[in-house]
């Protein structure tokens, strides 16, 4: 097992916010929405952690790690991103937008909505960490501003570390549950397909509607936002890394995985860049 870290490996004080090159990013509205939305999702990790601790309450190593490591690092990600957002866009009412997001998202974040078994929920956590690690890899590569590149790199490293822990706990539960590859794959696909239907959409909607009083952010607006992100995705998203991380819980034979990887990369590129 990977050694448990007793505290985050970096702090918000390590990020040189005073050196932000504001002219490189402040007029790029889509960066504002992307980063503000990410800051909301990361900050709400105390609620995610509470749900997971309740679900896995009999597993002391897992709940200890969730409380003492995962939650601390995820909430720090939220604070670091909030600090960046307010450093570039100081007039944004972050607190009001965040409370709006919490109110909208809480119904989707309940313990009884977690996976049907503990192994499958840990597999779903691998999907989430794959998504965040890939997202911050893309942000690091696409960022027009150096301090954001540094921050995204720090967060990315944490998310990869988190993935390794969730995968380890998945393996422990899977040895007992013996879920089929088909069942694991179906649960992973379900989680992937739900990813943008909940937190991402509601986070960006909350940022938009506070920044633009009296205007409503719709599903059509979110689709347009995703379309604008298509160029970043096609050029900077780490498709091969993401697919390998997603496939790991399925434990495909190496030959089959090697054959499937190019097809899955093409399919993922079309889906994410559209």
């Amino acid at each position: 097992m990977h050694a448990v870290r007793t505290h985050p490996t970096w702090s918000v004080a390590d990020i040189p916010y005073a050196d932000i090159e504001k002219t490189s990013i402040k007029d790029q509205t889509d960066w504002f929405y992307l980063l503000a939305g990410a800051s909301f999702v990361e900050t709400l990790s105390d609620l995610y952690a509470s749900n997971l601790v309740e679900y896995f309450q009999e597993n002391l190593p897992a709940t200890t790690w969730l409380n003492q490591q995962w939650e601390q690092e995820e909430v720090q990600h939220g604070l670091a991103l909030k600090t960046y957002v307010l450093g570039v866009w100081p007039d944004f009412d972050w607190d009001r937008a965040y409370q709006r997001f919490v109110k909208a998202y809480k119904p989707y974040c309940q313990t009884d909505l977690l996976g049907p078994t503990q192994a499958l929920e840990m597999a779903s956590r691998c999907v989430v960490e794959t998504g965040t690690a890939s997202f911050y890899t893309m942000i690091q590569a696409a960022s027009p501003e150096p301090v954001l590149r540094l921050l995204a790199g720090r967060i990315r490293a944490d998310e990869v570390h988190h993935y390794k822990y969730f995968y380890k706990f998945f393996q422990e539960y899977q040895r007992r549950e013996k879920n089929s590859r088909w069942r694991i794959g179906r649960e992973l696909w379900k989680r992937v397909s739900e990813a943008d239907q909940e937190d991402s959409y509601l986070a960006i909607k909350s940022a938009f509607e506070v920044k633009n009083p009296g205007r409503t952010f719709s599903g059509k607006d979110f689709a347009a936002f995703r379309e604008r992100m298509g160029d970043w995705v096609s050029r900077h998203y780490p498709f091969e890394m993401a697919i390998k991380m997603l496939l790991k819980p399925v434990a495909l034979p190496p030959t089959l995985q090697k054959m499937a990887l190019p097809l899955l990369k093409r399919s993922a590129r079309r889906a994410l860049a559209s």
Side-chain angles (χ1 to χ4, degrees):
M1 176 177 174
H2 300 272
V4 176
R5 304 197 303 227
T6 57
H7 58 79
T9 59
W10 57 277
S11 74
V12 174
D14 296 327
I15 307 301
Y17 292 104
D19 297 336
I20 296 174
E21 297 177 4
K22 297 179 185 179
T23 55
S24 300
I25 196 170
K26 68 178 182 180
D27 294 329
Q28 300 192 42
T29 307
D30 284 336
W31 275 107
F32 163 75
Y33 292 128
L34 195 71
L35 297 174
S39 73
F40 299 157
V41 174
E42 299 278 7
T43 301
L44 196 61
S45 293
D46 55 350
L47 177 58
Y48 310 145
S50 175
N51 290 342
L52 290 172
V53 166
E54 180 181 348
Y55 192 63
F56 296 103
Q57 57 187 289
E58 86 297 338
N59 187 332
L60 183 60
T63 57
T64 299
W65 177 74
L66 285 165
N67 276 325
Q68 296 184 7
Q69 194 62 49
W70 184 76
E71 179 182 355
Q72 290 185 40
E73 292 187 345
E74 293 293 320
V75 171
Q76 176 172 271
H77 297 167
L79 177 59
L81 288 164
K82 173 185 177 181
T83 305
Y84 186 91
V85 167
L86 293 179
V88 179
W89 298 280
D91 295 334
F92 177 57
D93 191 344
W94 190 95
D95 292 315
R96 186 160 71 91
Y98 175 66
Q99 291 305 318
R100 193 182 188 111
F101 167 68
V102 172
K103 181 178 180 181
Y105 185 62
K106 260 192 171 182
Y108 298 96
C109 193
Q110 306 290 336
T111 305
D112 58 5
L113 298 177
L114 296 179
T117 76
Q118 291 176 311
L120 294 176
E121 177 56 31
M122 284 299 185
S124 293
R125 292 295 100 196
C126 289
V127 173
V128 174
E129 298 299 338
T130 295
T132 53
S134 301
F135 174 76
Y136 289 109
T137 299
M138 183 185 75
I139 294 302
Q140 184 179 20
S143 171
E145 199 284 308
V147 175
L148 179 57
R149 286 198 292 273
L150 171 66
L151 175 56
R154 294 289 182 92
I155 298 176
R156 175 198 180 277
D158 285 346
E159 304 293 7
V160 170
H161 188 82
H162 298 165
Y163 174 94
K164 293 175 181 177
Y165 265 89
F166 282 119
Y167 179 68
K168 176 200 169 293
F169 291 129
F170 160 75
Q171 288 179 301
E172 292 175 357
Y173 283 112
Q174 174 63 5
R175 279 193 286 270
R176 296 200 294 270
E177 295 181 18
K178 302 186 187 310
N179 295 287
S180 67
R181 288 192 179 107
W182 169 254
R183 192 179 189 197
I184 295 168
R186 186 175 60 185
E187 192 67 23
L188 296 180
W189 175 250
K190 177 185 174 186
R191 191 65 187 85
V192 168
S193 66
E194 291 173 348
D196 280 333
Q197 297 176 16
E198 301 168 358
D199 50 1
S200 299
Y201 168 68
L202 293 173
I204 293 173
K205 175 181 172 68
S206 299
F208 179 92
E209 292 182 351
V210 167
K211 185 174 174 61
N212 302 279
R215 295 178 62 186
T216 300
F217 187 83
S218 67
K220 184 180 293 187
D221 294 321
F222 186 60
F225 174 80
R226 282 175 53 90
E227 185 175 351
R228 294 195 300 274
M229 297 299 99
D231 181 55
W232 297 358
V233 170
S234 63
R235 289 191 292 131
H236 301 296
Y237 195 85
F239 289 98
E240 184 162 338
M241 179 192 88
I243 291 168
K244 286 180 177 179
M245 291 172 74
L246 283 173
L247 289 177
K248 200 169 182 180
V250 184
L252 291 176
T255 302
L256 182 57
Q257 179 163 320
K258 186 176 180 180
M259 292 172 58
L261 190 60
L263 174 62
L264 292 172
K265 280 175 63 178
R266 287 195 296 272
S267 299
R269 187 177 290 275
R270 285 196 299 270
L272 285 177
S274 63

